Amino acid sequence: MEYLDFEQPIKELIDQYEKACNIGEESDVDVTATCKQIEKKLVEKKKEIYKNLTPWQRVQLSRHPNRPYTLDYINAICGDTFLELHGDRNVKDDKAMIGGLGKIDDQSFMFVGQQKGYNTKTRQYRNFGMANPEGYRKALRLMKSAEKFGVPVVCFVDTPGAYPGLEAEERGQGEAIARNILEMTRLKVPIIVVIIGEGASGGALGIGVGDKVLMLENTWYSVISPESCSSILWRSWEYKETAAEALKLTAIDMKKQKLIDEIVKEPLGGAHGNREEMFDTVKNSISKAYSEFKNLSPEVLVENRMNKYLDMGVFKG
């Protein structure tokens, strides 16, 4: 397990706990009481740290190297029912955007999401979760297939942004994202969006339009990353913490602004602290969200979705 700067006190207590347990195993000394005492301290320290997280610390948690990614959720939720589908039928198969059919209990869903890598090799293979235009076109192709067969859509958002390279711009990155936003507002099947990590810029919006938008507790959703915002405003990355505060990018801020519908609670210590519990929570949240929309007619579904997005940013004096 890797630890972030502000998690160091937790790491120290875990090290102490492991040492005490080892002493107990290697000698005849009874260390049960000591271990219980350290365990109690550990829980208290975790509660203290994770209860008072700053926006920047939540950004750091959303990028934690041990945090589960899209395929982890899909494989845990769907098991062996998941069938991955490839290609945009135009350019190629974008490895940063994955999608396919899977089942939660007896209900089929079309899953779409950005996928990051676990090490240097897979990060390059997945392009760090930054999709090219063909990734967004693949996502749209799968959503259109889902619409054709009346299958609801689930989108997992976790990207530092759409790929900003020259070749992406040449192939119409902006148009691909805009097209997805347009088509998703009109899709005739329920769309459930879950922000599981980073929700940055148009890269997130390209698969982020939904009837229900869920956001995990330690994630962020914003027009720009704190580092980029800091470098634009202050010509330096040093002010990223100030930028994170000003951007109002946390789940609590997003819910307050009515830009998302629900915050999904994470286990103590973040999603990576107890993966199995996180997978169960997300699975139940998706099923619950789907039950709200499954009996609505396509016309009502689209109208409600349109109205929901038209109401955003409207303030009455």
Side-chain angles (χ1 to χ4, degrees):
M1 178 71 82
E2 293 182 46
Y3 295 91
L4 301 167
D5 296 345
F6 63 90
E7 293 178 313
Q8 286 310 308
I10 295 168
K11 183 183 186 296
E12 284 163 22
L13 283 168
I14 288 170
D15 291 344
Q16 279 178 33
Y17 179 76
E18 284 171 358
K19 274 179 194 168
C21 290
N22 288 340
I23 289 165
E25 283 169 18
E26 288 165 11
S27 64
D28 295 332
V29 182
D30 184 13
V31 291
T32 315
T34 314
C35 286
K36 277 187 178 169
Q37 200 179 348
I38 298 170
E39 257 182 6
K40 193 182 169 192
K41 262 190 193 173
L42 186 60
V43 172
E44 283 169 8
K45 182 54 76 178
K46 277 187 175 180
K47 280 180 181 170
E48 182 195 323
I49 288 173
Y50 295 111
K51 199 173 76 177
N52 304 304
L53 291 173
T54 66
W56 173 245
Q57 285 170 339
R58 289 194 194 275
V59 171
Q60 287 178 290
L61 271 177
S62 76
R63 298 168 175 166
H64 198 289
N66 300 120
R67 196 174 174 87
Y69 296 141
T70 296
L71 276 173
D72 297 321
Y73 283 99
I74 291 173
N75 291 329
I77 290 168
C78 303
D80 55 6
T81 65
F82 180 63
L83 171 70
E84 191 176 347
L85 301 168
H86 300 272
D88 71 334
R89 302 289 184 270
N90 195 4
V91 178
K92 62 175 183 179
D93 183 41
D94 190 340
K95 307 297 181 198
M97 185 77 76
I98 60 115
L101 288 160
K103 279 188 174 183
I104 296 178
D105 301 324
D106 290 329
Q107 175 60 49
S108 294
F109 288 89
M110 179 67 81
F111 290 92
V112 174
Q114 289 108 350
Q115 175 68 23
K116 292 177 174 176
Y118 303 94
N119 52 35
T120 308
K121 194 177 176 183
T122 54
R123 280 174 195 138
Q124 286 175 326
Y125 178 70
R126 298 286 180 188
N127 200 30
F128 300 88
M130 296 189 290
N132 277 282
E134 51 271 23
Y136 291 100
R137 288 175 184 136
K138 168 164 82 169
L140 183 58
R141 180 178 77 80
L142 298 184
M143 289 185 224
K144 283 289 189 185
S145 295
E147 181 183 51
K148 185 178 177 182
F149 297 106
V151 175
V153 174
V154 175
C155 297
F156 288 112
V157 175
D158 186 13
T159 180
Y163 184 58
L166 180 66
E167 62 275 29
E169 296 300 338
E170 285 172 346
R171 291 198 296 275
Q173 184 72 285
E175 188 277 335
I177 292 169
R179 170 68 56 190
N180 276 26
I181 294 169
L182 172 73
E183 297 288 355
M184 285 179 88
T185 55
R186 299 172 179 183
L187 210 69
K188 293 182 176 69
V189 289
I191 309 170
I192 298 148
V193 177
V194 191
I195 297 158
I196 57 168
E198 300 184 87
S201 193
L205 283 178
I207 57 165
V209 177
D211 300 293
K212 190 92 166 181
V213 180
L214 310 171
M215 196 168 169
L216 268 57
E217 201 178 355
N218 297 311
T219 60
W220 63 277
Y221 196 21
S222 175
V223 70
I224 194 169
S225 72
E227 294 93 330
S228 301
C229 178
S230 173
S231 64
I232 290 169
L233 294 180
W234 291 283
R235 299 280 184 269
S236 161
W237 276 26
E238 278 178 41
Y239 300 93
K240 54 186 183 287
E241 292 178 43
T242 312
E245 188 79 44
L247 283 166
K248 304 279 182 229
L249 42 64
T250 66
I252 296 160
D253 294 319
M254 288 287 122
K255 182 79 173 73
K256 211 178 276 181
Q257 302 286 352
K258 296 182 179 164
L259 297 172
I260 62 155
D261 302 297
E262 204 175 294
I263 299 169
V264 178
K265 202 155 176 54
E266 292 187 18
L268 187 61
H272 58 284
N274 187 337
R275 284 169 158 242
E276 299 311 313
E277 189 187 324
M278 191 74 258
F279 296 147
D280 278 345
T281 307
V282 168
K283 180 182 176 179
N284 295 336
S285 298
I286 291 168
S287 297
K288 187 179 159 213
Y290 175 61
S291 66
E292 291 176 36
F293 303 106
K294 65 180 180 183
N295 296 322
L296 297 180
S297 69
E299 293 74 27
V300 171
L301 198 66
V302 173
E303 189 184 348
N304 289 353
R305 194 185 305 141
M306 287 275 205
N307 290 336
K308 175 188 164 182
Y309 281 87
L310 286 168
D311 286 344
M312 285 182 186
V314 175
F315 292 90
K316 292 178 177 71

